[in-house]
Every structure is written in C-alpha cells, then in structure tokens.
Amino acid sequence: MPTTDPIALRGAPGSPYTRKMLALLRYRRIPYRFLVGLWARDTGLPRPKVDLLPTFYFDSEDGVEAIVDSTPIIRRLEDEYLGRSVIPDDPALAFIDYLIEDYADEWLTKAMFHYRWRYEADIALAGEILPRWRDLTASAGEIAPRADAVRERQIARLYVVGSNDVTGSVIEDSYRRFLGILDDHIGNGPFLFGGRPSSADFGLFGQLTQLATFDPTPRDLTAETAPRVVAWVQSVEDLSGLEPAEADWVGRDEVPKTLRSLLVEVGRTYVPVMLANARAIDSGSDRIEAVVDGEPWVQRPFPYQAKCLQWVRQEYARLDGTDRAFVDGILGGTGCESLF
C-alpha cells in the first residue's frame, strides 16, 4: 500500500525512461524524491537485480525493494494511487495504448541512441554533459577522462539497439516519418487518446526529451520539420495543472485517422524487428535478419525484447471477444496484426 511519503527514484536527466516517469509522476500528482548525481550517493537503498534507470524504491514486507522497468511500474502505480489515470478506461484502447508505449520504449529508443552516438556533434555534447550529472563540482580536467570513457562505452554499445551501417538510414527515415505523424496527430488531441495523456504519451515523450530537445542532430531536425512536436514535449514535461475528465478519453467511434497512421508506422518498423528478434532467440541464432520498409535489417538478438513481445501478446489474449474484434479492426492492414 502507498504511504504519504514521497516515492524515491534514482535516475538521470539523459535517461528517456527517467524523464518518462518523472513527467508521469508530476501529472498524477504522486509525491516523489528524485535521486540524481551527488544526491543519489550513499542513500543506503538496495540495488536492483538489473541496474537500470530509473530505479524505483517501494516499501515491502522485507523493507525496501528496488524495482526497474517503467511499463509495469506505471501499472503498479495505477493500482496504488487513485485518480488521474493514464490508462484508457476502454479495454481495447488500453491495449492500443500498451502497444504504442512498447513501440516508444523498444523502437523509438533506437533513434535516440543512434543519433546520440553516431554523429560527431552529438557524441561531443553527450560526452561533456552526461558525466557532469554525477558530479557537478568536477573540474574540466577531472571530467575529460570520464567523458572519453562514456563515449567509448556507449559507441561500442550501438549494436544493442541495432544501429549500424546497414540500419542507420532505416532508423533515420523512420524517425522523420514518426515526426510527421505525431505532428499531425497532436492537432487532433493533443494526446494520443484525446484530451488527457496516456502511458503511451509519456513513453513517446521520454524518448523525445532527448531527440527533440537535447541531442543536436535530431533536435535540429525536429525543430525544422515538426515544431509542434517540440512544443508538445515542452508542455508534457509538467502536466500537473491539467484537470482531466473521463470524457476526455476518445471514444471508439472517434479514433482519428492519425492514430491509425501511427499504427501503420509501428507495423512498418517495430513489428518486423520484434518478430525477427523472437525467431532468433527461439532458434539460438546470434544474428537478427529482417526487412524493414523494404530495406535489410541486421543486428544481434536482444532477449529482453523477446519478453516484451510475449507481454504484448499476453495483453492481447486478455481481451474479450468484442474488444478483440475492435482491436483487430483497427490493426487490420497496419502490419501490427502480424504480432498475433
């Protein structure tokens, strides 16, 4: 059960998932205390089994438990804190919300990581800023070797998201299309499912805090081609003043065409890679091969994303006949139906 004490979470400004959750906590008016940099040291809090950001610290029977993975944390907060929900009350739309949130977390993050560690200006800026979040008082001389270490480590990890010479243009083309779709959709919303934000909105927002406002190459591209997206990101940062009503959720018969356009993009990119990754994991292969938007895609398998696909399928299996029929109708022809 929640307490009146603020939830502690450890994260970093450059972590899109940290920003996703901070914005969600502000919107839901859930008290929190943010542990970052110098303030995250020597807290006496436990380490999670997998050290990822953000890490949430919840009370448990054994004291305090360290929990990671934003999507299940959001659902836990839904159970423990009433009001200002970020899950549509319509089960079919709640499933679409879940799918788009996973697209943001597992596909759009490829663009975020790719741009940050592929282009010289982005590499230079990230190397200078990221280590300073851990130590604001460090001198330039102290930061220099840390900056080099961050750059070397992260560039070497581009393979994790599948950014390479074969896939780079696919990632960038996808991001440009996504910007156009979201820019159009905001005019109908301003959120994905009407006049109040869902968990998928916060998922997209988290990645865009980096792509649209921090890393120079995608930041300039976003400002030039989709200025409304930049303004949206700046607004979603703190929605604590928004007063949502149940009527603000879009109805099934009111779903705008732009939401389906986004699902077409999901089916065009996220779906073939997730399916190819699952096949590679199942077969024990050390190489993913897929075709994305008519172009080849190759990368190493990512076991966690195979779990994500299982969870998406589990959410789909929970739908009853009527809700599933609606979902099948809205996904039909988008490419997303191949997931099921």
Side-chain angles (χ1 to χ4, degrees), residues 103-165:
Y103 160 82
D105 288 349
E106 306 304 327
W107 176 266
L108 197 55
T109 195
K110 296 180 185 296
M112 184 250 125
F113 207 83
H114 166 83
Y115 279 113
R116 177 166 293 175
W117 302 112
R118 198 76 176 175
Y119 289 97
E120 289 301 322
D122 305 74
I123 292 169
L125 179 66
E128 287 297 322
I129 302 300
L130 269 59
R132 283 181 163 83
W133 286 322
R134 291 181 175 270
D135 190 351
L136 291 174
T137 63
S139 67
E142 291 171 324
I143 287 294
R146 302 178 201 175
D148 289 341
V150 167
R151 293 181 184 114
E152 291 172 8
R153 179 177 185 274
Q154 298 296 71
I155 291 170
R157 286 173 54 80
L158 278 169
Y159 74 89
V160 174
V161 299
S163 170
N164 53 57
D165 292 339

Side-chain angles (χ1 to χ4, degrees), residues 43-334:
T43 60
L45 293 168
R47 307 293 290 185
K49 293 179 180 179
V50 181
D51 197 5
L52 297 175
L53 299 180
T55 300
F56 274 65
Y57 301 95
F58 290 105
D59 292 334
S60 70
E61 293 181 356
D62 299 323
V64 177
E65 59 178 343
I67 303 294
V68 298
D69 200 337
S70 62
T71 298
I73 290 173
I74 288 173
R75 275 72 191 169
R76 176 170 179 163
L77 294 174
E78 288 283 320
D79 291 337
E80 296 187 356
Y81 293 86
L82 298 177
R84 303 177 69 83
S85 172
V86 296
I87 307 298
D89 51 14
D90 182 315
L93 296 181
F95 171 77
I96 301 298
D97 171 63
Y98 188 97
L99 176 61
I100 296 175
E101 182 184 353
D102 201 62
Y103 160 82
D105 288 349
E106 306 304 327
W107 176 266
L108 197 55
T109 195
K110 296 180 185 296
M112 184 250 125
F113 207 83
H114 166 83
Y115 279 113
R116 177 166 293 175
W117 302 112
R118 198 76 176 175
Y119 289 97
E120 289 301 322
D122 305 74
I123 292 169
L125 179 66
E128 287 297 322
I129 302 300
L130 269 59
R132 283 181 163 83
W133 286 322
R134 291 181 175 270
D135 190 351
L136 291 174
T137 63
S139 67
E142 291 171 324
I143 287 294
R146 302 178 201 175
D148 289 341
V150 167
R151 293 181 184 114
E152 291 172 8
R153 179 177 185 274
Q154 298 296 71
I155 291 170
R157 286 173 54 80
L158 278 169
Y159 74 89
V160 174
V161 299
S163 170
N164 53 57
D165 292 339
V166 174
T167 63
S169 62
V170 176
I171 292 171
E172 294 185 16
D173 289 346
S174 172
Y175 181 61
R176 291 189 186 93
R177 289 194 303 271
F178 164 76
L179 285 177
I181 294 166
L182 183 59
D183 190 82
D184 287 343
H185 183 80
I186 291 169
N188 294 318
F191 305 110
L192 290 176
F193 297 92
R196 58 186 294 172
S198 71
S199 63
D201 284 289
F202 289 106
L204 298 178
F205 162 82
Q207 304 300 327
L208 286 168
T209 60
Q210 312 304 309
L211 286 160
T213 69
F214 182 81
D215 298 297
T217 300
R219 181 189 66 202
D220 293 347
L221 171 65
T222 306
E224 179 181 351
T225 63
R228 182 155 54 182
V229 171
V230 177
W232 183 84
V233 173
Q234 294 167 340
S235 299
V236 175
E237 185 81 52
D238 189 343
L239 293 173
S240 60
L242 181 64
E243 299 295 345
E246 285 303 311
D248 291 335
W249 291 122
V250 70
R252 291 189 183 188
D253 57 347
E254 302 169 320
V255 174
K257 293 180 180 179
T258 47
L259 183 63
R260 180 177 166 83
S261 296
L262 178 57
L263 291 170
V264 169
E265 182 61 25
V266 174
R268 191 176 188 174
T269 54
Y270 160 95
V271 168
V273 173
M274 295 292 278
L275 292 175
N277 180 71
R279 289 194 297 269
I281 296 295
D282 289 344
S283 67
S285 174
D286 62 358
R287 178 182 172 91
I288 294 173
E289 294 189 7
V291 176
V292 179
D293 195 30
E295 298 294 328
W297 182 278
V298 294
Q299 72 169 99
R300 296 187 195 179
F302 192 0
Y304 176 77
Q305 289 191 337
K307 293 181 180 179
C308 291
L309 178 57
Q310 291 177 356
W311 294 330
V312 169
R313 286 172 167 169
Q314 288 170 3
E315 292 298 316
Y316 178 78
R318 292 189 180 100
L319 295 170
D320 68 19
T322 302
D323 294 333
R324 186 178 298 180
F326 176 81
V327 167
D328 289 344
I330 197 170
L331 295 186
T334 65

